[in-house]
């Protein structure tokens, strides 16, 4: 009898007889496989290999339909083997889904640092606007008192200083109408009103005192009705007008400077708000990435 294992493993058996006369088989070391054996199995025959593969493939559904035997039952008898599922009903287990960064949007992310920064910026801007408006109101009061001191009486409804917190295009028409009585401001027109040379409203104003002084001086000389008095009084009026024009120029510059400061403060506040927002977004992205990496690491 030839040892099949020796054939399958490409070995040639050798029969030897020992001292007792009993034959024994000696299997030498396996011979190297040929190229055909490496390609088609131990037989080295392509047709044999193809037929064996076909038989195995044809028997595969039967092998799948025959389920494994049942587990042992307790007590009396062992449980019967359950029938296996048909091959077409066997479903592959889905692979685990890899988390994506978009899964960690965190819409409820809260950043106390950002909220504190925005609150501080809003509070600082509000304080600046309040202080600026108070400065404008005080300047308007002082300006109105100054023009009255020199003897000028603005028209009723005149506003010495408009609301500095309003947009210039909203405040300018109101101020222009109050000063000039027209829609567009006219720097040469001056404020709408009258000079109180006679001192009816304030006898101690510069206009009233100057007028009385000139009249008394020229009356004492007997030239009150002469051309010298008229020329001197005209020069006096021009000096008062120049003084009023200088005060008006100062008021206009104050308002322009105040609005410029307000615009710069608001722009600076907006820049700092945007910087705080960018920093908050960076912190949120970092928290999102950390949650993502923790999920990838499995907890």
């Amino acid at each position: 009898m030839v040892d099949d294992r020796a054939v399958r493993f490409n070995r040639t058996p050798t029969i030897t007889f020992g001292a007792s006369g009993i034959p024994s088989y000696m299997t030498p070391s396996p011979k190297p496989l040929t190229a055909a054996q490496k390609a088609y199995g131990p037989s080295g025959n392509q047709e044999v290999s193809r037929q064996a593969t076909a038989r195995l493939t044809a028997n595969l559904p039967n092998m799948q339909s025959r389920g494994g035997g049942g587990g042992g039952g307790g007590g009396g008898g062992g449980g019967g083997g359950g029938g296996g599922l048909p091959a077409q009903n066997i479903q592959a287990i889905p692979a685990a889904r890899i988390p994506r960064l978009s899964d960690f949007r965190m819409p409820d992310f809260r950043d106390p640092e950002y909220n504190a920064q925005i609150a501080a910026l809003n509070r600082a801007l509000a304080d600046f606007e309040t202080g600026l408006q108070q400065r404008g109101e005080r300047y308007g009061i002082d300006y109105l008192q100054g023009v009255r001191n020199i003897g000028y009486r603005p028209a009723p409804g005149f506003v010495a200083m408009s609301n500095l917190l309003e947009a210039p295009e909203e405040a300018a028409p109101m101020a222009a109408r109050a000063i000039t009585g027209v829609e567009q401001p006219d720097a040469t027109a001056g404020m709408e009103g009258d000079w109180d040379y006679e001192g009816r409203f304030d006898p101690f104003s510069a206009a009233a005192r100057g007028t009385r002084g000139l009249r008394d001086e020229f009356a004492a000389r007997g030239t009150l009705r002469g051309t010298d008095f008229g020329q001197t009084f005209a020069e006096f009026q021009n000096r008062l007008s120049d003084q009023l024009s200088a005060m008006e120029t100062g008021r206009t510059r104050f308002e322009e400077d105040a609005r410029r400061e307000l615009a710069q403060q608001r722009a600076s506040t907006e820049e700092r708000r945007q910087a705080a927002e960018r920093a908050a977004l960076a912190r949120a992205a970092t928290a999102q990435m950390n949650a993502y990496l923790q999920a990838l690491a499995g907890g």
Side-chain angles (χ1 to χ4, degrees):
M1 179 177 179
V2 180
D3 188 356
D4 291 340
R5 292 175 302 170
V7 174
R8 286 198 304 271
F9 289 94
N10 198 28
R11 301 180 183 181
T12 302
T14 303
I15 301 176
T16 58
F17 297 89
S20 60
I22 299 175
S24 63
Y25 291 90
M26 293 182 62
T27 305
S29 299
K31 296 180 180 180
L33 296 177
T34 63
Q37 289 174 329
K38 291 180 180 180
Y40 305 114
S43 65
N45 189 294
Q46 181 179 4
E47 181 63 23
V48 173
S49 176
R50 186 188 63 78
Q51 294 175 359
T53 302
R55 287 193 302 271
L56 180 61
T57 302
N59 195 37
L60 183 59
N62 298 329
M63 296 171 61
Q64 292 178 341
S65 61
R66 292 194 299 270
L85 293 175
Q88 60 271 21
N89 294 336
I90 299 177
Q91 299 180 354
I93 299 176
R97 180 179 177 274
I98 299 177
R100 291 177 293 186
L101 186 60
S102 58
D103 298 337
F104 302 90
R105 298 183 184 276
M106 298 191 303
D108 297 331
F109 181 77
R110 296 292 182 269
D111 194 333
E113 182 178 352
Y114 171 76
N115 295 333
Q117 289 176 339
I118 296 301
L121 290 174
N122 292 338
R123 184 167 54 251
L125 180 59
D127 292 343
F128 178 86
E129 292 178 347
T130 301
L132 185 66
Q133 185 65 18
Q134 291 176 350
R135 285 168 49 198
E137 292 174 354
R138 288 194 299 266
Y139 190 95
I141 294 174
D142 295 341
Y143 174 84
L144 190 58
Q145 185 61 43
V147 297
R148 287 174 177 172
N149 289 339
I150 65 175
Y152 190 82
R153 306 296 297 184
F158 168 72
V159 179
M161 185 60 61
S162 60
N163 188 352
L164 297 174
L165 304 183
E166 294 179 350
E169 57 271 13
E170 298 176 1
M174 297 176 58
R177 285 193 298 270
I179 294 174
T180 66
V182 296
E183 288 295 331
Q184 297 298 328
D186 185 357
T188 62
M191 289 188 300
E192 183 178 358
D194 296 307
W195 286 100
D196 183 22
Y197 295 111
E198 302 300 329
R200 290 174 302 185
F201 298 98
D202 184 4
F204 301 102
S205 67
R209 289 185 292 106
T211 301
R212 287 195 306 268
L214 289 176
R215 285 175 178 173
D216 293 342
E217 178 183 351
F218 280 88
R221 285 189 267 167
T223 58
L224 183 59
R225 297 183 183 278
T227 57
D228 290 343
F229 175 77
Q231 182 179 357
T232 303
F233 188 71
E235 293 174 355
F236 172 68
Q237 290 177 316
N238 290 334
R239 288 195 300 270
L240 290 177
S241 296
D242 292 342
Q243 188 174 356
L244 178 62
S245 178
M247 295 176 64
E248 177 64 14
T249 300
R251 185 181 73 91
T252 303
R253 289 179 178 176
F254 175 87
E255 183 174 357
E256 291 176 351
D257 293 342
R259 292 189 180 280
R260 186 179 302 108
E261 291 179 13
L262 177 61
Q264 292 175 351
Q265 184 69 19
R266 287 176 173 175
S268 176
T269 301
E270 183 60 26
E271 290 177 358
R272 297 172 66 181
R273 282 175 181 168
Q274 294 178 3
E277 183 177 356
R278 289 193 296 269
L281 291 176
R283 288 190 294 271
T286 301
Q288 180 183 9
M289 180 60 70
N290 291 338
Y292 171 64
L293 295 177
Q294 185 176 5
L296 287 181

